[in-house]
Structure formats: C-alpha cells, structure tokens
C-alpha cells in the first residue's frame, strides 16, 4: 500500500540562513539579463553579424523580460556603433513630384536647414537693393546705349527713305503710320482725297515700295528689341548672381564636400535666377501698389519660397551611437512614413515639406524593435516590412496606391537606402505560424533568440534574484527587502515555475509582488519589506481575483454542486481540473461517474457526445479502452458499454489529466468496490497503466483542500497525484500545517494498480502464470465481471454468436 507523501516534500523552502545578505540594500544592482544565457548568445550573434537576412525573432511568453532585455542589450551595443546619418528631402527642380533624398553626416541636417533659410532670406534682402542702386542704373544704361543708337539710326534710315518717296513716318497707338507729303507738308485725309487720281495712284505705288523697306526695317527693329531684352536679362542675372555670390559661397563652404549638396545648391541658384521677379517689385509701382502686391502677403510669400526649404526627416545630432527605436504602434504610416496634405482655397495639395518619416527612417543605420503582433493589426504593414528588407530601400507611399487602389496624383519621394537590423518580439506560436506559412520569413529572420520561462534554482540564481530585487527597489524607490522577504520571493518564483528545482524568469510577475509588498511595508511604517509583507501581497493578489472560485466553493458547501468528501461509493470519484480566468488559475473538484453494462459500445465519452469534450480529453478516454483490452481482454472479447461523465459540468472539458480518474471510476463500477470520496484524483494514464505527470498540480490540490476545509477536515482527506509530479509541489503553508497535524495527505502513485489500492483499500492483484489474478483483488473482480458480461452477451446472441 502506498504511504502518504512526507510533509517535507510538500514544498521546497529557502532557508533564511542561506540568504547572503541582511537586506537587498546591501547588494549591488544587477545590470545583466538573468537566466537567459541561450537567448543572450543568440542575441550577440544575430546583432553583430552583418550579412543580409540575419534579422532576429525574439521568442518567449510575455513577462519573461523580452522587451526589457532586448532594449537594454541594444542600447549598450549601439553605443559602440557609429551614429546614423541625417536624411533630408529637398525640392527636385527638374520634377517637383519626385523630391530628392540627400544623406548627410549626423547633426548636419538641422544646420543645413538653418543655413538654407538664412541664404534665402539674404537673397530676398540683397537682390531688390542691387536693382535700386545707381551702379545698376549706369550699367543698364551703358549696356543699352549702343542698341538705342542702332534703333535711332535705323529709324532715321527708314524715315529718309520715306521722305525720298514723298512720305513721312509718324507713331500712333495703332503702330507706325506712313503719311504722304507735298512740298514737305503732311497731307490730311481730305487733302489726299482731293488730289488727282493719277497722283493718288502714284502715292499708292510709292507706299507699296516703301512697305517692303519698312518690313525689312521692322524685322531689324524686332531683332534689336530682342537683343535689348536679352541684354537686360543677362545683366539682371549677372547682377543678381554677383549680389548673391557672397551668401552662396558662405552656404557652400561648410557643405562643399557633399556632392549632392553641391548639385542641389547649383539647382537652387539657377532657379532663383530664372524666377527673379519673385524677389523684385514691378517697375513703376507706387509704394501703395507695392504694399498691395500678393508678393507682400506673408502666406503667399511663404508658399512661393517653400520650394527652397529643407525637410529634415531624420536628425541624429543628439544620438549616442547607432539609433535604437522601439515601435509601440507598428501601423504602416508609423513604420514607413507618410505624405501629409493640406487644403488651400478648397484644393488639397502637398509637397516635399509635408513628407513625414516613419520609425524605420529613424532607426536606419541602427536597430528597429517591433512587437510582432502589432504588424498584423493594420493592413499591408508586414508586407511593407518584408519589401523594405528584401529591396534594401525605404519608399514612402500610400498603402492603397501600392496595392493599386488609389490613383490620385501626388508626390513620389525618392526611396532611401536601408541599412537596419530588425528585431521582432513575439510568442513561440507566432514564430511557428510565420515560419511555416510564410516562405520569406525564414529568409529574412534567420536568427531566433528564445527566452526561457524558468531557470535552475541554485545558490547563484537565488543571489541573482536578490540582486534583481535590489535593482528594482533602487530604480523605483521601493522599500528594500530583508532576508525573510528575499526568501519568500524566491519561493514564490519556484511556485510560479511549478517546479521545486526551478525559478521563474517571468520577472514581470515577480516585480508586481515586490511593488505590492513594498506598499504594505510602507503602510506598516516598516524599515524593510519582510516575508509577511510578501505573503500578504501574494494573498491579496489572489483575493482580488478569486470571486468565482469562492462562489464555486460556496455552491459545493451548500450541496448545489455535489462533492462528497467523507463516504465511499462505487463508480464515483472526485476528479480535479484547473479553471483559468486570465489573471488567476484555481483548482475545481468535479464528480466523475461511470456506469457499465453489457454491450459492444466500449467506453462512451458523454462529454464528447454532448460536444463539450476537447480533442485531448477524447484521446485520454480512448486510451482507457486500450488499457482495458490489454489487461482484461486477452482471452475473451471486451463486451462492455461504459459511460463516463463529469457531473454538473456545463462548460467545455479538455486535457487528459482526468484519464486516470475516469479509469478508476470504471474499475470501481466493474468490481463493485466503493471508492473513498475523501480523496480526489488527478493524473493521466497510458495504455500500460502507468500514471503520467500533469500540469497545475498545486492549484488542483489546493482547490480540493479548500473544499475539505470548508466541509470539515476529518483526517481522512487528501489528493492522489502522479509520483512524477512530486517535484512540482510548492503548496501553501495552510496545507503543510494541516498535513503536519494529520488532517490532509498526498498520495503519489506510479501505476493504476497502486492508485486503486489507495482509493479502495483493496489489493490490486497480480496476474498469475495462468493469466488469472489473485482472488478477491480488484483486478480479479474486474476480470470476473468482464468474463460474465462476455458470457451474457454470447448467450443473448445465441449459439455461434
């Protein structure tokens, strides 16, 4: 018969004497990442290798410190790397719809933007002044003097030819008129009409001859006018270039070594010379007209001169080393940037100054950290990331335009070369889905760093726990923990790991307990946080979330949910399951019953028939048929119909941890031997009758203990668990005290035979050489019953059945 488990194995304790300090105040804060050596090794490799495609996927469950560890690791690594470049967008004077991107050394972007603003302001100031100067007037007069002389000479020549033919030339609003003369005196229209017809005819012939000469002269006059305009235009540009040359030289000096800047400044100066009227008032305007000109409107001037602005989209002037960006909201615009728009006079417009960067731009030349789940919350984001990594370019475009849904005309900024290491943070499940469903994923994210949920409980790691607590207390100004508090936190870490040999690495949950315990220590005006404060924090955290658990317990004590903790009944047993509500998990006892009859149906899972059983639970029930056939049906057919059900279960049932429980119920129903209702059972079973480990063993034991305590502890109650789960026990103090007083017991079993003996008090029975079992044992009675059922079925069907 299996003996109860010794109380000393109910929980692993951390002796206060083993704590190496009086309080965490005496310790040095820890800077390293605790308990993740494998992940750190992968991080070191993945972040330092330069080859394409070696981006990282950080795999782990939330709370293991993935984000904190990665950001801390990256920040230290980035300090040893060169700063990222600045990036600016400027107007493309050849095509304003395709702005140019220019790479600049870190910190130069803002300086160049300020220098350009000063340059444009200086040009706006000096160019109007130079055209108001006497020097410009003299140069203009000198440049035009020869042309004016040529014009006067040409006019004299045509006028002389006109006089020879009896005409004089006069200007009018309608052009140049040729007027006939007589005796040197111009004739009026009436006088001309009074002349004899022969004389009028002669004048007409002379006029036609003169018209040929005048057309030739007018052509020469137009050429002189064009020459005059060209001369004035050249002089204007020369004077303007001379005027802005000092400012242009001052602008070029700091940035002359950057080829793209030189090309841009050349384009700027050419555009200014081509658009000088924007910098000048119109000739002949009065001061009042000049003030009313649109060019004097600040908004209009700002719009006109916006094309000379510099849009700094990435500024690394204040960064230390390579940039590290953690994107909390990985939408498409937040990652890849966008082009904003504005409404002017009812028209939607945009230009290069409204280009806005994304996180990928800011992280270019460094590291980008993204929670993988966020990539799938907005359309096209994951595809955009893959495209950027595959092409090595960052293109700012509308997602809809990329997919062919938007055709409105807009600007198309020049793509920026991408040099970045992307780190995705996600769960193991997300990694599995991406790896198996997306062929590109394995090519772009070649390195996986996996964060473990637990680490070994040894002296070194216990000290690291204490150092972690010290770091927390100093960073967050919490009360330091004394030795009892440290010991209690370490034990709680083992409880979360559900293993006496392990400590959890889900430090977020440890940190929450330390914070809450510090709050209670502050209320008590204690110098340090003690083990009692830590225990109170643990209990209060449970109490805030266990309303449903208490309601279930109340229903059981009021016999609304039927759970027997004192009697013995055949075919009935107390099973244990775990209910998870997100922030809390607790054990719930359930009555499991089995009924048997003659038949060929085998084991019928009522939960499955009612569509309440999950696949794992169904598998566990099917294994029972294998066990019964292997043990009892070697010399006869298994003529059995057995029905299993979780009584008063109205939600889904899954998992195989109740398979041994269900098997005990069937064996009891077949043998007719009652099962002790003072015991609850958990554990899965294989076809050979070996009891296997299950999860949530602590919650299951505590759930049944709470029911027994509420109904009254008799000293007979306890829980039967798989022997392989003993090392996972980290039970609460209340159960340990009850066990010490002989009021509650735990029975570890390795086989179904061991378990049935504990539950019934009857020997299981060994198989003898002839295939039968020891008389009056459980197995003997089960085998006898199955033989009788087989005979009954054969007789019922008749001879030859």
């Amino acid at each position: 018969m299996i003996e109860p488990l010794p109380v000393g194995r109910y929980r692993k304790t951390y002796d206060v004497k083993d704590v190496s300090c009086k309080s965490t105040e005496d310790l040095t804060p820890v800077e390293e990442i605790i308990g993740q050596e494998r992940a750190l090794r992968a991080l070191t490799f993945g972040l330092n290798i330069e080859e394409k495609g070696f981006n990282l996927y950080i795999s782990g469950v939330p709370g293991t410190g993935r984000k904190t560890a990665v950001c801390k690791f990256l920040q230290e690594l980035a300090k040893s790397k060169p700063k990222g470049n600045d990036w600016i967008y400027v107007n493309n004077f050849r095509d304003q719809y395709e702005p140019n991107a220019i790479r600049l050394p870190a910190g130069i972007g803002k300086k160049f933007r300020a220098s350009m603003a000063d340059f444009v302001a200086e040009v706006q100031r000096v160019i109007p002044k130079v055209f108001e100067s006497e020097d410009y007037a003299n140069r203009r007069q000198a440049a035009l003097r020869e042309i004016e002389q040529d014009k006067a000479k040409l006019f004299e020549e045509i006028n002389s030819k006109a006089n020879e033919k009896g005409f004089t030339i006069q200007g009018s609003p309608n052009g140049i008129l040729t007027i006939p003369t007589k005796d040197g005196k111009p004739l009026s229209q009436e006088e001309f009409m009074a002349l004899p017809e022969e004389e009028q005819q002669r004048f007409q012939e002379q006029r036609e001859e003169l018209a040929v000469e005048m057309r030739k002269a007018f052509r020469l006059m137009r050429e002189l006018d064009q020459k005059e305009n060209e001369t004035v235009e050249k002089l204007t540009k020369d004077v303007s270039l001379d005027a802005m040359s000092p400012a242009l030289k001052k602008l070029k000096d700091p940035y002359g070594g950057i080829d793209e800047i030189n090309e841009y400044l050349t384009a700027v100066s050419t555009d200014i010379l081509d658009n000088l009227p924007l910098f000048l008032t119109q000739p002949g305007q009065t001061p009042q007209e000049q003030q009313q000109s649109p060019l004097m409107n600040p908004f209009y001037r700002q719009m006109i001169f916006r094309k000379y602005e510099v849009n700094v989209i990435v500024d690394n002037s204040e960064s230390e080393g390579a940039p590290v960006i953690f994107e909390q909201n990985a939408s498409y615009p937040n990652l890849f940037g966008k082009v904003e728009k504005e409404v002017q006079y009812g028209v939607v417009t945009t230009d290069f100054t409204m280009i806005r960067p994304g996180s990928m731009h800011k992280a270019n030349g460094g590291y980008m950290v993204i929670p993988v789940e966020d990539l799938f919350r907005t359309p096209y984001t994951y595809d955009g990331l893959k495209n950027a990594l595959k092409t090595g370019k960052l293109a700012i475009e509308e997602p809809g335009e990329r997919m062919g849904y938007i055709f409105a005309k807009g600007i198309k900024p020049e793509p920026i070369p991408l040099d970045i290491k992307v780190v995705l943070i996600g769960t193991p499940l997300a990694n599995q889905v991406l790896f198996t469903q997306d062929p590109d994923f394995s090519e772009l994210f070649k390195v996986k760093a996996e964060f473990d949920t637990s680490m070994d409980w040894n002296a070194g790691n216990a000290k690291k726990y204490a150092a972690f607590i010290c770091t927390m207390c100093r960073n967050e100004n919490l009360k330091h923990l004394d030795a009892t508090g440290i010991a209690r936190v370490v034990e709680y870490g083992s409880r979360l790991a559900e293993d006496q040999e392990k400590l959890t690495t889900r430090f977020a949950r440890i940190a929450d307990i330390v914070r809450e315990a510090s709050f209670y220590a502050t209320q008590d005006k204690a110098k340090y946080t003690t083990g009692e404060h830590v225990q109170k924090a643990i209990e209060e955290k449970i109490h805030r979330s266990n309303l449903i658990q208490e309601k279930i317990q109340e229903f059981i004590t009021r016999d609304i949910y039927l759970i027997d903790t004192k009697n013995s009944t055949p075919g009935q047993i107390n099973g244990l399951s775990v209910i998870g509500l997100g922030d809390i998990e607790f054990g719930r006892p359930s009555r499991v019953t089995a009924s048997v009859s003659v038949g060929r149906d085998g084991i019928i899972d009522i939960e499955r028939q009612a569509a309440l059983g999950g696949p794992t639970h169904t598998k566990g029930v099917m294994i029972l048929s294998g066990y019964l056939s292997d043990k009892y049906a070697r010399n006869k057919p298994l003529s059995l119909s057995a029905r299993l059900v979780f009584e008063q279960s109205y939600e889904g049932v899954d998992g195989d941890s109740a398979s041994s429980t269900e098997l005990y119920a069937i064996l009891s129903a077949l043998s007719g031997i009652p099962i002790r209702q003072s015991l609850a059972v958990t554990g899965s079973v294989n076809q050979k009758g070996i009891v296997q480990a299950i999860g949530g063993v602590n919650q299951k034991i505590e759930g049944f203990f709470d029911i027994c305590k509420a109904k009254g502890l008799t000293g007979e109650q306890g829980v039967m668990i798989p022997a392989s789960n003993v090392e996972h026990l980290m039970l609460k103090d209340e159960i340990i005290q009850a066990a010490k007083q002989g009021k509650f017991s735990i029975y570890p079993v390795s086989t179904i035979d061991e378990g049935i003996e504990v539950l019934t008090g009857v020997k299981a029975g060994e198989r003898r050489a002839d295939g039968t079992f020891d008389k009056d044992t459980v197995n003997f009675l089960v085998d006898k019953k199955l033989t009788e059922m087989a005979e009954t079925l054969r007789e019922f069907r008749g001879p030859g059945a």
Side-chain angles (χ1 to χ4, degrees):
M1 187 74 68
I2 297 297
E3 294 294 326
L5 185 70
V7 178
R9 301 191 64 185
Y10 279 34
R11 175 193 190 95
K12 182 177 179 179
T13 59
Y14 187 34
D15 196 332
V16 175
K17 296 178 182 178
D18 294 333
V19 180
S20 60
C21 60
K22 292 184 178 179
S23 74
T24 55
E25 193 173 19
D26 303 331
L27 299 177
T28 302
V30 63
E31 298 296 334
E32 63 181 294
I33 301 168
I34 302 173
Q36 302 294 351
E37 288 76 12
R38 181 192 302 271
L40 291 179
R41 185 173 175 179
L43 274 173
T44 303
F45 166 73
L47 294 174
N48 284 284
I49 188 171
E50 300 293 337
E51 277 67 22
K52 185 177 180 180
F54 283 85
N55 298 293
L56 294 90
Y57 186 94
I58 309 301
S59 176
V61 299
T64 52
R66 299 168 303 168
K67 171 187 167 184
T68 303
V70 168
C71 289
K72 183 183 293 186
F73 193 92
L74 285 176
Q75 286 166 358
E76 290 300 318
L77 178 63
K79 291 178 182 178
S80 63
K81 303 290 183 180
K83 284 186 176 184
N85 293 306
D86 286 357
W87 282 94
I88 63 174
Y89 271 108
V90 295
N91 184 39
N92 183 350
F93 293 98
R94 291 189 298 272
D95 185 352
Q96 63 177 335
Y97 293 103
E98 296 185 2
N100 291 332
I102 299 178
R103 185 204 313 261
L104 296 174
I108 300 300
K110 287 197 305 185
K111 293 179 181 179
F112 182 67
R113 178 176 61 190
S115 298
M116 269 300 297
D118 293 341
F119 168 73
V120 173
E122 180 67 8
V123 170
Q124 289 176 306
R125 185 184 69 83
V126 299
I127 287 183
K129 282 191 174 183
V130 76
F131 290 103
E132 296 171 2
S133 66
E134 185 177 346
D135 178 64
Y136 170 72
N138 293 335
R139 291 180 63 180
R140 188 177 189 279
Q141 184 177 1
L144 297 179
R145 185 178 296 118
E146 184 178 348
I147 297 174
E148 292 295 336
Q149 291 173 353
D150 290 344
K151 280 185 176 182
K153 183 178 178 182
L154 181 61
F155 191 80
E156 289 176 1
E157 290 177 357
I158 192 61
N159 194 39
S160 175
K161 290 181 180 180
N163 290 336
E164 290 177 0
K165 295 183 180 296
F167 290 88
T168 185
I169 295 176
Q170 288 185 0
S172 77
N174 296 324
I176 296 177
L177 301 178
T178 55
I179 301 174
T181 62
K182 191 171 185 179
D183 300 329
K185 179 181 178 184
L187 297 176
S188 65
Q189 182 68 20
E190 293 78 6
E191 291 174 336
F192 179 78
M193 296 302 296
L195 294 175
E197 185 175 347
E198 295 81 4
E199 191 169 356
Q200 290 184 26
Q201 183 64 34
R202 182 179 61 79
F203 271 113
Q204 188 63 32
E205 292 173 355
Q206 293 291 336
R207 176 175 289 175
E208 290 177 358
E209 292 177 1
L210 180 61
V212 174
E213 296 293 334
M214 289 186 66
R215 281 196 294 272
K216 186 185 296 184
F218 288 157
R219 185 175 66 253
L220 293 174
M221 187 68 72
R222 284 195 298 271
E223 291 176 357
L224 288 174
D225 287 341
Q226 183 178 355
K227 183 178 179 180
E228 182 179 50
N229 292 335
E230 291 175 352
T231 301
V232 172
E233 183 178 356
K234 183 177 184 304
L235 176 63
T236 301
K237 287 186 176 181
D238 289 344
V239 170
S240 299
L241 184 60
D242 291 342
M244 71 178 181
S245 288
L248 187 61
K249 183 178 184 305
K250 182 181 178 182
L251 179 62
K252 282 186 174 183
D253 284 345
Y255 314 105
I258 304 172
D259 293 339
E260 287 184 283
I261 291 295
N262 278 329
E263 294 175 7
Y264 170 67
L265 292 179
T266 300
V268 168
S269 59
T270 301
D271 188 77
I272 290 175
L273 296 178
D274 290 342
N275 295 277
L276 283 173
L278 299 178
F279 295 83
L280 302 172
T281 56
Q282 297 299 318
Q285 284 185 326
T286 65
Q288 183 177 2
E289 290 174 334
Q290 293 177 9
Q291 290 297 325
Q292 294 175 351
S293 170
L295 291 173
M296 301 306 293
N297 184 301
F299 175 77
Y300 186 66
R301 287 179 65 83
Q302 190 267 339
M303 294 301 298
I304 290 175
F305 295 113
R306 180 183 283 183
K307 61 181 175 179
Y308 303 122
E309 293 181 7
V310 174
N311 183 7
V312 181
I313 66 164
V314 178
D315 174 30
N316 283 307
S317 58
E318 298 181 3
S319 63
E320 297 181 5
V324 178
I325 303 296
F326 184 89
E327 181 52 67
Q328 298 277 15
N329 180 19
S331 65
Y332 190 94
N334 284 357
L335 274 184
F336 305 108
K338 59 184 176 181
V339 179
E340 294 180 342
K341 299 174 178 62
E342 64 182 4
V343 178
Q344 297 177 10
Y345 305 109
V347 179
V348 178
T349 64
T350 188
D351 58 41
F352 75 97
T353 63
M354 285 181 272
I355 299 172
R356 299 294 177 257
S359 299
M360 294 286 283
H361 294 86
K362 298 175 184 177
N364 200 7
Y367 307 94
M368 180 84 238
V369 184
I370 309 172
V372 71
E373 292 83 0
D374 291 350
L375 287 176
F376 302 104
R377 290 199 176 107
T378 55
Y380 317 124
T381 305
Y382 179 60
D383 287 335
L385 177 64
K386 289 197 302 179
N387 185 66
L389 293 176
K390 286 192 287 188
T391 61
K393 293 182 179 180
L394 271 177
I396 300 178
E397 56 186 343
E398 292 284 347
E401 181 180 355
R402 176 193 174 116
M403 302 303 293
Y405 300 147
I406 296 177
F407 302 98
K409 187 174 183 180
I411 64 174
K412 187 177 181 180
E414 179 185 0
I416 290 176
L418 181 63
D419 177 20
I420 197 171
K421 185 76 72 171
V422 176
V423 180
L424 298 182
I425 298 180
T427 62
L429 178 60
N431 176 74
Q432 180 184 357
V433 171
L434 288 171
F435 197 90
T436 56
Q437 302 299 318
D438 181 12
D440 293 329
F441 181 76
S442 59
E443 293 299 318
L444 296 174
F445 294 89
K446 296 179 182 292
V447 181
K448 181 173 79 168
E450 196 155 15
F451 275 67
D452 200 353
T453 57
S454 64
M455 62 183 182
D456 292 337
W457 182 352
N458 53 41
N461 284 337
K463 288 181 181 178
K464 290 179 181 179
Y465 247 58
F468 166 76
I469 297 169
C470 171
T471 305
M472 264 198 67
C473 294
R474 294 195 180 187
N475 291 344
E476 301 183 21
N477 197 27
L478 304 175
K479 284 190 176 293
H480 283 276
L481 276 69
D482 67 6
T484 63
I486 295 171
R488 190 67 191 89
V489 170
V490 171
E491 291 175 7
Y492 181 66
S494 182
R495 162 75 181 217
L496 292 179
E498 295 187 349
D499 195 324
Q500 294 181 359
E501 303 303 320
K502 299 289 183 179
L503 295 174
T504 186
T505 55
R506 301 180 72 173
F507 287 102
R509 299 181 67 176
I510 297 295
D512 288 342
I513 289 297
V514 172
R515 295 184 184 103
E516 189 168 341
S518 176
F519 170 78
Y520 296 128
T522 301
Q523 283 190 325
D524 292 345
K525 298 181 181 179
K527 182 178 180 181
Y528 295 115
T529 300
T530 66
E532 292 180 357
H533 296 128
V534 174
Q535 183 61 36
K536 183 177 181 181
I538 295 171
E539 293 173 354
E540 289 295 320
K541 181 178 178 63
I542 294 173
H543 182 70
R544 290 194 295 270
S545 302
N546 73 341
L547 177 62
I548 301 299
Q549 181 183 10
E550 290 185 355
K551 290 292 184 182
I552 292 174
Q553 180 178 320
E554 178 188 349
F555 289 169
I556 292 175
T557 55
R558 293 170 58 190
D559 292 330
I560 297 173
Y561 289 161
L562 300 178
I563 298 292
D564 188 356
T565 61
K566 296 179 180 179
N567 302 305
S568 296
T569 306
Q572 176 177 301
I573 191 170
N574 292 322
L576 296 172
S577 60
V578 174
I579 294 178
L581 300 177
D583 58 341
I584 187 174
E585 291 182 342
F586 58 89
R588 178 200 167 175
S590 297
R591 174 176 289 181
V592 179
T593 60
S595 62
V596 296
S597 63
V598 176
R600 292 286 191 180
D601 296 327
I603 298 177
I604 300 172
D605 180 9
I606 294 179
E607 303 296 333
R608 181 187 180 188
Q609 298 294 323
L612 290 174
T616 309
H617 177 260
T618 300
K619 176 186 175 184
V621 173
M622 294 174 71
I623 287 174
L624 304 187
S625 296
Y627 173 83
L628 293 174
S629 297
D630 180 67
K631 192 152 189 173
Y632 304 111
R634 295 182 180 181
N635 56 356
K636 57 184 174 296
L638 191 63
S639 305
L640 169 71
S641 290
R643 289 154 294 278
L644 290 169
V645 67
F646 277 72
E647 304 288 357
Q648 294 182 296
S649 172
Y650 309 108
E651 63 277 349
V653 176
D654 201 6
D656 64 349
S657 63
S659 58
S660 68
T661 309
E662 293 166 321
L663 181 54
Y664 293 133
I666 291 175
L667 294 178
S668 172
L670 288 170
S671 65
I673 302 174
I675 288 177
R676 292 169 56 188
Q677 302 301 298
S678 57
L679 297 180
V681 180
T682 185
S684 69
V685 65
N686 63 21
Q687 293 187 104
K688 299 301 182 181
I690 298 173
V691 179
Q692 303 165 143
I694 43 80
V697 65
N698 293 295
Q699 290 87 346
K700 291 176 179 178
I701 294 172
E702 290 170 355
F704 189 65
F705 173 80
D706 290 339
I707 298 302
C708 294
K709 183 181 71 171
K711 287 198 162 192
L713 292 171
T714 63
E716 297 295 325
Q717 290 128 337
V719 173
M720 193 165 70
I721 66 171
S724 51
N725 275 125
V726 170
E727 62 184 25
H728 301 144
L729 297 179
M730 286 296 293
L731 297 169
K732 59 184 181 182
D733 293 335
E734 190 177 10
I735 294 181
I736 296 173
Q737 294 304 318
K740 287 180 179 179
Q741 298 170 12
K743 295 181 178 180
F744 196 81
S745 302
I746 296 175
Y747 297 91
V749 297
S750 299
T751 66
I752 291 297
D753 284 350
E754 291 178 355
I756 199 67
E757 290 181 358
V758 173
L759 290 169
T760 63
V762 178
K763 289 286 186 180
E766 298 291 334
R767 185 185 294 275
R768 295 186 294 199
D770 60 357
T772 62
F773 294 94
D774 296 333
K775 192 174 182 179
D776 295 331
T777 61
V778 175
N779 287 328
F780 173 82
L781 296 174
V782 171
D783 188 59
K784 180 182 177 182
K785 183 67 173 179
L786 289 173
T787 301
E788 293 172 354
M789 294 170 75
E791 288 293 330
T792 301
L793 184 61
R794 185 181 64 82
E795 293 174 1
F796 180 78
R797 290 188 173 183

